[in-house]
Amino acid sequence: MNASLPSKRSSAKLSVIVLVLVALLMPGTTVSAAGDEIPHENYDLVGANLDVVIALLNTSIRYSEYSYMAMYNVSMAYAEQNLSGVRSILIPAKNLLAEIEDVASSYENLSALIPPFAELSSLSDEFASSEALLLETRDEILDASLVLNLTGQALVDALDSIKRFNELVLRMNSTIDQMLIYAERITALTVEDESPFEDNQLAPLIEKLRDLLRRLEVEIQDIIDNDVPWHEAEPFLLLWISSPYYYLGDTIVGGGYLFYSGTFAVGRTVRINFDGSLLTTATTST
């Protein structure tokens, strides 16, 4: 991958950038711009440091993109390798910015560079962790579909797996919403009136993760409707919500199943009470 330098900086500084990268890899070596009076030649060094930070952050974008491709293809080991790369890159980038903190006023929006990358990294880790659990839960539902007579604890476990699967899908869609916010912030970042991070595929690849969730939902819904031996089960109502915690004024997002007379009942009114009072009603659908 070739990282292009901002047009206003000359190619003569390339050797300085190489030296800075070497310095980053040497324990105990720092690139400093300290002192009350900074010699003129140190400005080139500080500028090179910023070029290195931009190159590092662009590399983290590439790793993030690869991780989203891996998540979409359900290759969790490869996804973790790339997410680990993102985390590793952000450390020297943050440390290098700290080294030039004394002259940060020379550059616009310098303090705003790291936070959106760090937030996106954290959310990506969260999504990958949820996806791993979602895949495990899918396998549990698949196992339940192979049971000849789903009763007792096996029935309880199957219902719990279905509930957990749907809760995870809701939560992961919410995580995608947050990931898109920080992907847009990264794209919009500017350094000295330039946009060094706008050439990326973060948002489209993050949106593709919704396709993954829809694909898994269709797969599981087909198993629930056609493969799990519900005909031996007692009637049940299974509800789930997107989060275990809600606060006053929050919108509660959730769903459920009504199994009655050996099938999933359609067109039935469900009344949900809270502390003895009617909270809401819903009508079951397919």
Side-chain angles (χ1 to χ4, degrees):
M1 181 186 65
N2 295 320
S4 59
L5 299 178
S7 58
K8 65 176 66 177
R9 297 187 174 88
S10 67
S11 60
K13 291 161 52 179
L14 183 59
S15 60
V16 179
I17 296 175
V18 173
L19 290 175
V20 173
L21 282 172
V22 171
L24 284 173
L25 297 175
M26 294 176 62
T29 302
T30 59
V31 179
S32 178
D36 294 334
E37 294 185 20
I38 304 173
H40 179 72
E41 58 268 20
N42 280 358
Y43 282 104
D44 281 338
L45 181 58
V46 170
N49 284 352
L50 186 55
D51 286 336
V52 172
V53 171
I54 291 173
L56 288 171
L57 294 179
N58 269 312
T59 300
S60 80
I61 289 176
R62 301 291 88 79
Y63 274 117
S64 293
E65 291 170 340
Y66 295 147
S67 73
Y68 302 146
M69 295 177 196
M71 291 180 201
Y72 180 79
N73 292 318
V74 197
S75 179
M76 303 313 298
Y78 187 54
E80 175 52 32
Q81 289 178 13
N82 286 283
L83 291 174
S84 178
V86 174
R87 295 191 295 268
S88 299
I89 286 172
L90 292 183
I91 294 173
K94 182 178 180 180
N95 291 341
L96 189 54
L97 283 178
E99 291 293 334
I100 60 175
E101 188 175 17
D102 289 341
V103 290
S105 59
S106 301
Y107 305 97
E108 295 180 0
N109 302 326
L110 192 58
S111 62
L113 290 182
I114 296 296
F117 284 92
E119 290 291 343
L120 182 60
S121 173
S122 177
L123 289 168
S124 300
D125 289 341
E126 178 183 327
F127 188 93
S129 177
S130 295
E131 181 178 347
L133 182 56
L134 186 73
L135 296 174
E136 290 178 10
T137 306
R138 177 196 61 176
D139 291 343
E140 292 173 2
I141 298 173
L142 285 170
D143 290 341
S145 70
L146 302 177
V147 177
L148 296 178
N149 189 5
L150 197 62
T151 58
Q153 187 60 45
L155 173 60
V156 172
D157 292 343
L159 295 176
D160 184 64
S161 296
I162 293 171
K163 176 176 177 289
R164 183 167 62 255
F165 180 90
N166 286 282
E167 288 173 345
L168 283 167
V169 169
L170 290 173
R171 189 186 312 160
M172 292 167 73
N173 270 308
S174 177
T175 302
I176 288 174
D177 292 338
Q178 297 175 67
M179 291 167 67
L180 287 170
I181 291 173
Y182 289 103
E184 291 172 1
R185 291 182 183 178
I186 288 172
T187 302
L189 284 171
T190 59
V191 179
E192 294 186 311
D193 298 324
E194 297 182 7
S195 301
F197 310 116
E198 64 180 356
D199 184 15
N200 70 72
Q201 294 297 311
L202 291 174
L205 290 171
I206 292 171
E207 283 287 4
K208 286 290 289 183
L209 296 176
R210 293 196 199 277
D211 295 339
L212 166 68
L213 296 181
R214 283 190 287 267
R215 190 175 75 224
L216 291 173
E217 279 187 295
V218 169
E219 176 188 353
I220 292 302
Q221 191 62 52
D222 182 66
I223 292 171
I224 291 172
D225 290 341
N226 302 309
D227 296 337
V228 178
W230 299 116
H231 59 279
E232 297 293 341
E234 294 292 327
F236 62 82
L237 174 64
L238 176 65
L239 302 175
W240 68 85
I241 54 179
S242 60
S243 173
Y245 304 103
Y246 284 100
Y247 299 94
L248 186 63
D250 287 351
T251 300
I252 300 176
V253 179
Y257 292 100
L258 174 62
F259 184 81
Y260 184 75
S261 296
T263 187
F264 287 96
V266 179
R268 299 297 185 99
T269 299
V270 177
R271 298 166 57 91
I272 302 176
N273 294 331
F274 181 74
D275 286 344
S277 299
L278 179 64
L279 178 64
T280 187
T281 61
T283 302
T284 60
S285 60
T286 55

